[in-house]
Amino acid sequence: MASDLTSQVLAVLSRSDEPVFSADVFPSIPSATVKSALDRLSSREMVLYKVIDREEAILTAEAEGISANGSHEAKVFEAVRNSIEGLKIADLPKIVGKESADVGRGKAFKAGWIKKDKDTLRVNTDSIIDTSQEQLRLIQQTRSHPDPKVINDLRKRKLVTLQKVISFEFTKGPKFAAEFVKEETDLTAEMLASGAWKNAKLKPYNFKAKGALTSSGALHPLNKVRHEFRQIFFEMGFEEMPTNRYVETGFWNFDALFVPQQHPARDLQDTFYISDPLTADKPRSDPDDSQLSTNKLLSSKPNKRPYPPDYEQYWNSVREVHETGKFGSIGYRYPWNPDESLRLVLRTHTTAISTAMLHKLAADPRPARYFSIDRVFRNESVDATHLAEFHQVEGVIADFGLALGGLIGFMEVFFGKMGIHKIRFKPAYNPYTEPSMEIFGFHEGLNKWVEIGNSGMFRPEMLAPMGLPKDMRVFGWGLSLERPTMIKYGVKNIRELLGHKVDLNFIESNPAVRLEKD
């Protein structure tokens, strides 16, 4: 079709030196076909053209009926006028139809064409002008109306829809010719043997043509920001913890962190509990624990405590520190329930991993820096800023003689590497840290302070049952991965970043991210 149209385009241009409009000469031919023919001629500089975009008003089926037979209000007026002694309101739908009666009666009243006399309608004027019919007939003929307000009003009444129409204006090009000469795209063996290549017109290469898009994978924005966080941690000498355990027992997720069994965080409305199986065994050595003595996370040294540590002793110490108090603490003084501690949950924070790593560190106490970035789960109502699952960034530092001032100083350095240089701290409460602090950073774009994380020093009731030395202190902090990602990519609804509503085009086209490092 496009090849046939090229000769028609050339024929039209050969008869005129003025610009030609495709809407006038090819009104019934699809714009894609016209463009294909023009592109073919334009590539040979035989034709110059430009695209014209415009919107046309198209009548709906209801509007076409009004254009042909009159508006609803005009039908009502004619029905009332034809009734010599007036028309009963109850009889109107029988004459003009229910739709015309419902819509037209109100408009006829508003226009002052009819009036109500008890239960009877009477005319209030001798003649009318059916403006709606005239407007629609004009639009039907010209596909437009000189008054934009009329178009908007008819669109609200669902009588008109706007349709984008593409047309072209084209003129003769520098190499215009009345006849299109086919160009050869391949130099064949037959052409070389016969010598036909000497007289053949070869099509030039188009080096500006775009190649076909190749299918490829794309990193999710969360993975890009996660990579930047990992680089910051590695720069500062941290080691990454294994976080492949989404399901934890209440012991590791709560009890070992000195979270009481009556704490609201352990309620069903805040935590996802596993239904099958309901519980797990008491804490014991992992199958890979025997290999950890040579792992970089736990470097073995002579004359240290045997590894793996005594999990039964750890279980009993955690129970005592909750129930009766131990290691100088009076505890919570409540009847601690072992069955509650063994219930399986989807981990609510990655601090459960940090606790297990610190317990293993007690076999070889030494300065250590750990971090983790992985998914956690909380039974929260889903909205624009909250999901039932999200990613937590957590860092833990264990060393001798640490103090709160060191934590504050380290936070300033850590967040400075993220480009956040103005930070504040606010006292807070956490069951497993004391003192605890919320961290606020000044957001230049929003021009206000926003919460960016939580931090604190782990309590002795958490560390002492592990067997860590009394003079070893541990502080930690955490923040979500989603919040900085949303800020970097301008995402306002977290459901557009994670979950089934994610736009795959956004994933494939989002740019690389670089946190503003010093």
Side-chain angles (χ1 to χ4, degrees):
M1 183 67 180
S3 59
D4 296 338
L5 193 60
T6 54
S7 58
Q8 297 181 43
V9 170
L10 294 176
V12 169
L13 286 175
S14 64
R15 297 193 297 266
S16 173
D17 293 329
E18 300 297 325
V20 179
F21 296 91
S22 63
D24 297 333
V25 294
F26 307 121
S28 60
I29 298 179
S31 59
T33 304
V34 177
K35 186 177 187 303
S36 178
L38 292 176
D39 284 338
R40 190 177 187 188
L41 295 170
S42 176
S43 66
R44 294 158 176 80
E45 300 184 28
M46 298 177 70
V47 165
L48 302 176
Y49 79 92
K50 62 181 180 181
V51 180
I52 302 174
D53 288 339
R54 72 179 190 279
E55 285 187 329
E56 289 186 352
I58 308 297
L59 300 191
T60 63
E62 180 185 356
E64 289 178 351
I66 293 174
S67 175
N69 305 314
S71 64
H72 300 300
E73 55 268 29
K75 291 179 181 179
V76 170
F77 174 79
E78 290 298 330
V80 175
R81 186 171 65 173
N82 293 336
S83 301
I84 300 174
E85 295 181 357
L87 181 63
K88 296 289 186 183
I89 296 176
D91 295 335
L92 182 62
K94 301 175 184 177
I95 299 174
V96 301
K98 187 176 185 305
E99 182 180 6
S100 293
D102 293 341
V103 177
R105 189 176 65 178
K107 290 186 174 294
F109 274 129
K110 187 176 180 180
W113 296 351
I114 62 174
K115 61 183 178 181
K116 184 179 178 183
D117 183 9
K118 296 182 180 179
D119 62 344
T120 304
L121 300 175
R122 302 184 188 279
V123 294
N124 200 33
T125 184
D126 296 331
S127 62
I128 62 169
I129 298 175
D130 193 350
T131 306
S132 296
Q133 185 184 40
E134 291 180 353
Q135 291 172 343
L136 291 173
R137 283 181 174 176
L138 177 61
I139 293 172
Q140 194 173 33
Q141 294 171 1
T142 64
R143 300 294 181 94
S144 64
H145 195 281
D147 188 355
K149 293 182 179 179
V150 172
I151 297 291
N152 290 334
D153 180 59
L154 294 174
R155 288 183 66 194
K156 291 178 182 177
R157 293 167 60 185
K158 297 183 179 179
L159 297 176
V160 163
T161 59
L162 292 181
Q163 176 178 304
K164 185 177 180 181
V165 177
I166 299 176
S167 60
F168 307 92
E169 176 188 342
F170 53 94
T171 58
K172 295 177 180 178
K175 297 182 180 180
F176 175 79
E179 184 181 354
F180 181 80
V181 179
K182 183 181 177 182
E183 295 176 329
E184 300 293 341
T185 56
D186 294 309
L187 188 62
T188 64
E190 291 78 8
M191 293 172 63
L192 293 173
S194 65
W197 63 271
K198 297 178 181 179
N199 300 319
K201 187 173 182 181
L202 299 175
K203 183 180 179 180
Y205 281 106
N206 183 5
F207 293 103
K208 295 181 180 179
K210 294 182 179 179
L213 293 177
T214 56
S215 300
S216 62
L219 288 176
H220 193 283
L222 284 173
N223 280 340
K224 295 180 181 181
V225 177
R226 178 179 180 271
H227 174 75
E228 290 298 305
F229 272 110
R230 292 181 77 240
Q231 295 305 113
I232 291 175
F233 278 115
F234 288 139
E235 283 179 13
M236 303 183 76
F238 282 77
E239 300 166 0
E240 191 166 15
M241 295 181 282
T243 56
N244 57 345
R245 187 181 298 167
Y246 287 171
V247 178
E248 291 282 2
T249 61
F251 177 83
W252 289 111
N253 200 76
F254 297 117
D255 292 290
L257 275 69
F258 197 54
V259 178
Q261 294 183 344
Q262 300 83 7
H263 195 278
R266 302 179 75 152
D267 292 342
L268 285 173
Q269 63 264 28
D270 291 316
T271 300
F272 291 110
Y273 285 89
I274 305 300
S275 60
D276 185 20
L278 287 171
T279 61
D281 296 336
K282 292 168 65 175
R284 63 169 186 256
S285 299
D286 289 337
D288 296 332
D289 275 355
S290 58
Q291 301 174 8
L292 285 174
S293 59
T294 59
N295 190 284
K296 64 178 181 179
L297 292 175
L298 294 170
S299 58
S300 59
K301 296 180 181 179
N303 304 322
K304 293 296 179 182
R305 290 170 47 188
Y307 193 86
D310 189 342
Y311 282 89
E312 184 66 28
Q313 180 182 346
Y314 184 38
W315 167 272
N316 293 330
S317 295
V318 170
R319 176 174 186 162
E320 290 178 39
V321 80
H322 277 257
E323 199 168 45
T324 60
K326 195 176 182 181
F327 308 109
S329 171
I330 63 174
Y332 289 118
R333 291 176 290 182
Y334 69 94
W336 189 77
N337 183 0
D339 293 335
E340 179 68 23
S341 186
L342 296 178
R343 291 181 67 184
L344 288 171
V345 302
L346 288 178
R347 67 182 181 206
T348 60
H349 47 197
T350 53
T351 314
I353 307 297
S354 304
T355 305
M357 292 306 303
L358 290 172
H359 177 238
K360 294 171 183 177
L361 181 67
D364 184 10
R366 59 183 176 80
R369 295 185 174 193
Y370 302 139
F371 82 92
S372 64
I373 306 173
D374 213 333
R375 191 168 296 192
V376 296
F377 309 86
R378 294 180 189 175
N379 192 1
E380 294 187 354
S381 298
V382 176
D383 56 29
T385 57
H386 296 85
L387 288 177
E389 54 180 308
F390 58 95
H391 294 78
Q392 182 175 342
V393 181
E394 180 165 331
V396 173
I397 297 180
D399 207 340
F400 298 94
L402 294 178
L404 183 64
L407 172 59
I408 293 175
F410 185 85
M411 289 295 96
E412 291 174 345
V413 175
F414 177 78
F415 285 103
K417 288 183 173 292
M418 296 170 51
I420 303 174
H421 301 283
K422 298 179 181 178
I423 61 174
R424 289 178 178 174
F425 299 91
K426 175 184 176 182
Y429 169 76
N430 282 315
Y432 47 90
T433 57
E434 181 61 37
S436 306
M437 300 181 298
E438 292 177 349
I439 309 169
F440 292 81
F442 187 77
H443 193 292
E444 300 289 347
L446 300 176
N447 196 32
K448 67 177 184 180
W449 293 89
V450 296
E451 183 180 355
I452 56 176
N454 222 315
S455 65
M457 308 213 33
F458 288 134
R459 295 178 64 118
E461 292 93 336
M462 174 184 166
L463 301 178
M466 299 177 182
L468 289 170
K470 290 184 178 181
D471 57 345
M472 174 167 275
R473 304 285 183 266
V474 181
F475 53 61
W477 69 97
L479 65 152
S480 77
L481 182 63
E482 281 74 7
R483 176 167 291 184
T485 306
M486 291 174 69
I487 293 174
K488 278 291 181 183
Y489 286 96
V491 177
K492 296 182 179 179
N493 192 327
I494 193 172
R495 289 169 288 195
E496 298 175 2
L497 187 67
L498 186 66
H500 65 283
K501 292 186 177 181
V502 172
D503 183 0
L504 293 181
N505 290 325
F506 166 69
I507 301 299
E508 292 174 356
S509 62
N510 64 77
V513 64
R514 290 288 293 172
L515 299 177
E516 299 172 7
K517 300 180 182 180
D518 287 338

